[in-house]
Amino acid sequence: MELLKKTILEKGIVLSDSILKVDSFINHQVNPVLMREIGKEFKKLFSHVKITKVLTAESSGIAPALMTALEFGVDLIFARKRQSLTLKDDLLTAEVFSFTKQEVTTLTVSRQHIDRSDVVLLIDDFLANGEVAGGLVKVSEQVGAKIAGFGFVIEKTFQKGRAMLEKTGIAIESLARISSLANGKITFID
Ligand code: 5GP
């Protein structure tokens, strides 16, 4: 996706050989025009599937996932990472290790919003080691929902996420694939 690659090159900040900061357009300040285009791109890539829900994790996945849900005309569910007083009963949970925070967090989704009739598209901002995506798969499987595909805004192909998710046999689409962040330089593949 050219607009995304251009924005990454112009505004992305390489923090280390493995971390890209995208706070000025995805993770903190959010560019709505870019998000709209991301939603359209995921719709195009998964147009052959009858999706009933888009699922992501808070907070960085919400913006691209919401625009994707809008394109499909379905609801978005975001897994919570923090305890909530209003989210108490009938919870689906999965523990995931956060690559950027270096800590374990628990993804939580209420059973009220997902069931075995759902066909779910999983969306996240980054694919690194596949922890969040794996956690969202576990949550979906707990209710027997079908997973139609994985969509990532940015994939870092030098980390193990894709290899891990490929074992599920579920389609994976990434809008920008970064093969290296070495020496402060962003290198794309494809
Ligand atoms: P994974 O679950 O694939 O191990 O890591 C993906 C999650 O970690 C994403 O939800 C994202 O928020 C965060 N993440 C992983 N790598 C990066 C990165 O290079 N930059 C930023 N900003 N977040 C990342």
Side-chain angles (χ1 to χ4, degrees):
M1 188 184 159
E2 285 316 310
L3 175 63
L4 175 62
K5 285 189 189 170
K6 187 170 165 281
T7 312
I8 292 171
L9 288 176
E10 281 174 11
K11 299 192 167 153
I13 297 169
V14 179
L15 287 188
S16 69
D17 283 1
S18 59
I19 304 219
L20 177 68
K21 186 169 168 168
V22 292
D23 277 22
S24 64
F25 55 106
I26 299 178
N27 282 169
H28 189 35
Q29 172 170 272
V30 181
N31 179 329
V33 174
L34 179 63
M35 290 304 140
R36 185 180 58 198
E37 295 311 308
I38 285 170
K40 285 185 179 161
E41 197 67 24
F42 281 133
K43 172 75 183 14
K44 228 188 282 169
L45 291 166
F46 290 103
S47 59
H48 54 289
V49 198
K50 179 95 189 65
I51 283 155
T52 64
K53 294 271 161 75
V54 173
L55 178 62
T56 190
E58 70 173 354
S59 54
S60 313
I62 296 176
L66 180 64
M67 297 316 281
T68 307
L70 184 64
E71 289 296 325
F72 277 98
V74 300
D75 285 331
L76 156 74
I77 313 169
F78 63 89
R80 299 245 177 119
K81 289 180 178 165
R82 282 166 228 108
Q83 295 259 324
S84 162
L85 285 176
T86 58
L87 195 65
K88 272 188 162 165
D89 304 318
D90 257 351
L91 302 180
L92 307 161
T93 60
E95 290 205 335
V96 298
F97 181 74
S98 165
F99 171 69
T100 44
K101 296 194 186 105
Q102 292 289 307
E103 64 183 26
V104 175
T105 51
T106 305
L107 299 182
T108 306
V109 171
S110 166
R111 240 175 235 277
Q112 281 181 343
H113 306 301
I114 182 167
D115 63 39
R116 60 195 295 273
S117 68
D118 278 314
V119 180
V120 177
L121 177 59
L122 304 185
I123 298 284
D124 204 8
D125 58 340
F126 273 91
L127 173 60
N129 292 321
E131 282 279 322
V132 171
L136 294 175
V137 169
K138 277 189 202 144
V139 161
S140 308
E141 282 176 349
Q142 283 170 45
V143 288
K146 185 175 180 296
I147 299 157
F150 297 104
F152 300 99
V153 179
I154 303 171
E155 174 181 344
K156 292 180 291 178
T157 65
F158 53 88
Q159 290 181 274
K160 61 177 196 237
R162 180 173 282 262
M164 205 196 83
L165 296 182
E166 270 174 350
K167 290 184 200 149
T168 64
I170 299 165
I172 307 168
E173 298 284 0
S174 304
L175 305 186
R177 303 184 75 208
I178 294 175
S179 59
S180 169
L181 293 171
N183 306 314
K185 187 174 177 294
I186 301 166
T187 310
F188 293 108
I189 55 169
D190 295 340

